[in-house]
Amino acid sequence: MRTDRTFTMLKPDAVEKGHIGAILEKINASGFRIVAMKLTQMTTQDAKEFYAVHSERPFYGELVEYMTRGPIVAAILEKENAVEDFRTLIGATNPADAAEGTIRKLYAASIGENAVHGSDSDENAAIESAFHFAGREMF
Ligand code: UDP
Ligand code: MG
């Protein structure tokens, strides 16, 4: 499993608020290369499947509603140590706990609507990338 790629989504709240450009700027400035990228919208079935690991959690229904309410930017990013470094760049799940300067500290409204997704392992990065992109869409 390659360790130099991660998967991200700029979530519906970030797109609605016009933060695509600012967040991509930060991603580029932090040394990530964009391998794949598109504006897309998840169906309810997509979101349920993507977040299936959370299906027993109390926030699952709200999470699926939120993630399907508008378009997202899905992207694959490349950098040495991509998964861990991107998790550092986005900050804690709850923006109240996120470090200064992180994407969630800057752009997230709440633990639910937290602007951006980042894969939590190399294995999940590969699964999530394949969920959203065909091989010919990856560069
Ligand atoms: N989430 C939520 N309430 C919680 C925890 C998580 O609404 O108490 C949402 C939030 O959008 C989060 C997503 O569910 O990004 C996935 O949760 P996870 O624990 O995997 O956080 P992440 O990996 O995104 O930091
Ligand atoms: Mg997670």
Side-chain angles (χ1 to χ4, degrees), residues 11 51 54 57 59 63 66 87 93 104 111-114 116-118:
K11 296 182 177 183
Y51 285 110
H54 295 306
R57 308 284 290 279
F59 58 82
L63 176 59
Y66 157 55
R87 293 290 302 201
T93 306
R104 282 170 166 166
I111 191 169
E113 302 207 2
N114 58 5
V116 63
H117 169 82

Side-chain angles (χ1 to χ4, degrees), residues 77-92:
L77 305 174
E78 189 173 85
K79 182 186 181 295
E80 196 180 312
N81 201 36
V83 166
E84 191 183 343
D85 286 2
F86 193 69
R87 293 290 302 201
T88 301
L89 178 64
I90 68 178

Side-chain angles (χ1 to χ4, degrees), residues 58-76:
F59 58 82
Y60 184 61
E62 270 182 31
L63 176 59
V64 170
E65 283 279 312
Y66 157 55
M67 288 303 297
T68 56
R69 79 174 185 221
I72 60 163
V73 174
I76 302 171

